[in-house]
Amino acid sequence: MSATTDALAGTVRAEDAAVFVYGIAAAYAAIPRRDTVAEYTADHRSRRDEWARLLTAAGATPPEAAVGYVIPVPVTDPTSAIRAVLTAEEDCTRAYRVLLEKADSEAVRRAGVDALSGAAVRAARWRLVLQISPSTTALPGTAV
């Protein structure tokens, strides 16, 4: 595998984890947030499938989803569910940042920028719901 395919595999793993976390969050989501949770889950599934297609086209095998994932935030109510999906979005931004650093084609970089932007916007929206300030980060996907 190349650096690009390794990074693509990382994005597939991050998206699989995000789909899992959103599935847990859906069980706890407050009624006004359920449509948003469903929309964001669909976004993550779509991205995961896109990265898997790119991996396959590059001659690599996409990683399979894990049976389960460790959720870093115990989910027991609507607020903790949002904290969990915020963490998943932040994990996705880190995976996309790595992809942007390793991408060997303009098409992959362009898709990575779109994905990073989407995850950063979703994360900012969840920070607003949680009343975290600032709601945005200067460099999504970095430890800064």
Side-chain angles (χ1 to χ4, degrees), residues 41-103:
T41 302
D43 290 346
H44 285 288
R45 281 191 182 114
S46 176
R47 286 286 181 193
R48 177 201 57 204
D49 295 347
E50 176 183 0
W51 303 127
R53 279 191 298 278
L54 286 171
L55 268 171
T56 301
T61 302
E64 291 188 25
V67 174
Y69 295 86
V70 175
I71 300 174
V73 178
V75 178
T76 58
D77 59 27
T79 301
S80 61
I82 293 172
R83 288 186 199 288
V85 294
L86 172 57
T87 299
E89 294 295 352
E90 291 169 341
D91 290 347
C92 285
T93 64
R94 284 188 286 281
Y96 290 131
R97 184 70 177 213
V98 170
L99 178 64
L100 291 174
E101 293 169 359
K102 308 282 181 174

Side-chain angles (χ1 to χ4, degrees), residues 15 17 19 30-31 51 63 65 71 73 75 84 86-87 93 103 110 121 125 127 136:
E15 290 294 1
V19 168
I31 291 170
W51 303 127
I71 300 174
V73 178
V75 178
L86 172 57
T87 299
T93 64
R110 192 176 310 264
V121 167
R125 288 178 178 159
R127 285 188 201 99
T136 60

Side-chain angles (χ1 to χ4, degrees), residues 124-140:
R125 288 178 178 159
W126 290 131
R127 285 188 201 99
L128 286 171
V129 170
L130 293 169
Q131 299 178 353
I132 296 172
S133 182
S135 62
T136 60
T137 58
L139 300 169

